[in-house]
Amino acid sequence: MVAYRAGAPIRARAFLADVMRVAAALPQGRHVLNACSDRYRFTVAFAASLVANKVSLLPSTHTPEVIRQLTEFAPDVFCLTDDSRCQIDLPRVRFPDAMQPGEARGSPAADEQTVPWQPLQIEPERLAAYVFTSGSTGTPLPYKKTWGRLVNCVRFEAERLGLLDGRPHAIVGTVPPQHMYGFESTVLLALQSGNAFSAGRPFYPADVCSELGSVPQPRLLVSTPVHLRTLLAAGVHLPSADLVLSATAPLSQNLAREVEQRFETRLLEIYGSTETGQIASRRTAQTVEWQLFSGVRLASDGEQTWAEGGHVEQPTPMCDVLEITAQDRFLLHGRLSDLVNIAGKRSSLSYLNHQLNAIPGVADGAFFVREENESASSTGVTRVAALVVAPGLDAAAVTEQLRKRIDAVFLPRPLLFVDSLPRNDTGKLPHEALLSLAANAMKRA
Amino acid sequence: MSDKASPLRQPAPPADNAALQREVADLIVAALNLDVAAADIDPQAPLYGEGLGLDSIDILEIALVVSKQYGIQLRADSEENEQIFRSLRYLADYIATHRTK
């Protein structure tokens, strides 16, 4: 079994038939932007791309500017989508839905009997995907992911999560399959551990609960702090879960304990990076220390920390400040650089600044992260704000331009107009001066 | 999920829910720390994307407020989601039709 749709199982045979059908329908062009929002269709499309020797592109957002940059990176890229209203500005190919995905299982027993099925054989060296981080120069940086490394990473994850005990686990995700965390922890995790994921991508709390309740136990909920907080606050009946995963942003110990109580479960937080994939987990309700996946080691020169070994293989620098506490454990002390991560979407302040300053009419501008307590809303999301010098423009015009360039979660709240930015002699913006100017501008607003 | 009831299939409330629209606008502005005055939100303008410029995290946050204030658990696929949040007026009408408190 590979997946569930509305609680009904989709078996490996039907999945493989779908994969071969879609692989045969793919157009020319080596690079695929897989925009299918249904998790099953996404997975079929990903596997079909592998079979057809194509490479999936996994950027963290699909804004027009990012899409434009993708076409520079890979001029032959096309978009595979299951949404008739998809607006992505690339040659678009509809997911071939002649047969409802996964519904081959229900139809003629012939399919069940005659399609011989054996696991797909993909060489470990095969380039499967490019994952992108937002580079500070305004151009996303691609990272190569071979099939072998993707598989290794989630095999270590499956071992850590206890999914290899022979029982069939069902995985429900509130995170999209296009994000690295969702891709690894729902799609790949299920495929490589003999478990199954649920095809839907439930949004509202009531939808999440019904999706979770529709699959058999034992079951996993793969989620984020935002979604978990909303679920707990919504006043809906929560089905039990055997394990809850959280990643993309730090989870407070209080929230972790409440999740464990209300879902009668264990909650594991996952830590990783675009470059390394997932490398550690912790049971947040009980400890602040992260435990590395087996085989992975950390090394540090006092400032920079590298991960190596296990599925990471070569030494890879980490973007966070890590304190090594034991051979297989560490503490996480926040960002090393200017990365911002809002609800699983990653960007960097320098990327956002680059996009703001590229708008015609903007003379100068800078994004900044507001203090946690003043900007966190009831779902606990920290937003970014921006100061801008743009005498000829108004807030609506700047926002409209930004919306074309950056993901909506990074739109500044608020966007403050000022006469000039407090740059020092070297052109840098001291953080304190920026915050105090912002505080004044907010008072005036 | 075509078997779910579409919010648009509900009969449109005849009255212009001006008071409720204002109340919902106040809730949204307070919940999201928005930079606009509740009275300045155009009842016909889209809440999502263009217009007020809300994103999916905002929508989750509004869903939470709506469940607490009016006892409605929103259930929707993405299409219906966009319909409910098509404008302040649509949202207020949806609340008027479905509220349990």
Side-chain angles (χ1 to χ4, degrees), chain A residues 204 207 233-234 379 413-414, chain B residues 35 55 58 61 68 73 75 81:
Chain A
Y204 292 117
D207 295 328
T379 45
R413 294 203 187 153
Chain B
D35 256 354
D55 59 43
D58 295 323
E61 202 138 2
K68 284 188 194 312
Q73 291 295 345
R75 288 292 305 264
N81 189 19

Side-chain angles (χ1 to χ4, degrees), chain A residues 284-423:
Chain A
T284 313
Q286 296 181 346
T287 178
V288 292
E289 266 190 327
W290 295 88
Q291 190 177 13
L292 290 163
F293 285 3
S294 57
V296 181
R297 298 179 304 276
L298 293 179
S300 170
D301 65 2
E303 282 182 28
Q304 177 68 60
T305 308
W306 289 265
E308 61 182 314
H311 69 83
V312 182
E313 298 172 7
Q314 299 307 310
T316 306
M318 304 301 295
C319 292
D320 294 311
V321 182
L322 307 181
E323 178 188 342
I324 301 169
T325 51
Q327 199 186 1
D328 61 347
R329 285 198 290 276
F330 66 91
L331 296 171
L332 178 58
H333 294 302
R335 298 184 287 265
L336 192 60
S337 63
D338 62 353
L339 292 177
V340 282
N341 186 335
I342 300 180
K345 306 215 165 162
R346 291 159 190 270
S347 192
S348 67
L349 291 178
S350 36
Y351 178 82
L352 297 175
N353 289 341
H354 176 88
Q355 295 298 343
L356 176 60
N357 284 285
I359 295 172
V362 169
D364 199 357
F367 276 82
F368 59 98
V369 179
R370 299 171 66 186
E371 293 300 315
E372 297 282 335
N373 53 2
E374 68 178 42
S375 64
S377 56
S378 62
T379 45
V381 176
T382 300
R383 299 284 189 164
V384 290
L387 288 165
V388 65
V389 183
L393 299 176
D394 62 8
V398 173
T399 305
E400 189 194 331
Q401 284 291 319
L402 280 175
R403 189 172 287 127
K404 291 181 186 154
R405 296 160 178 271
I406 62 178
D407 195 280
V409 298
F410 299 112
L411 289 177
R413 294 203 187 153
L415 172 66
L416 300 163
F417 281 75
V418 290
D419 296 331
S420 66
L421 293 186
R423 293 196 181 271

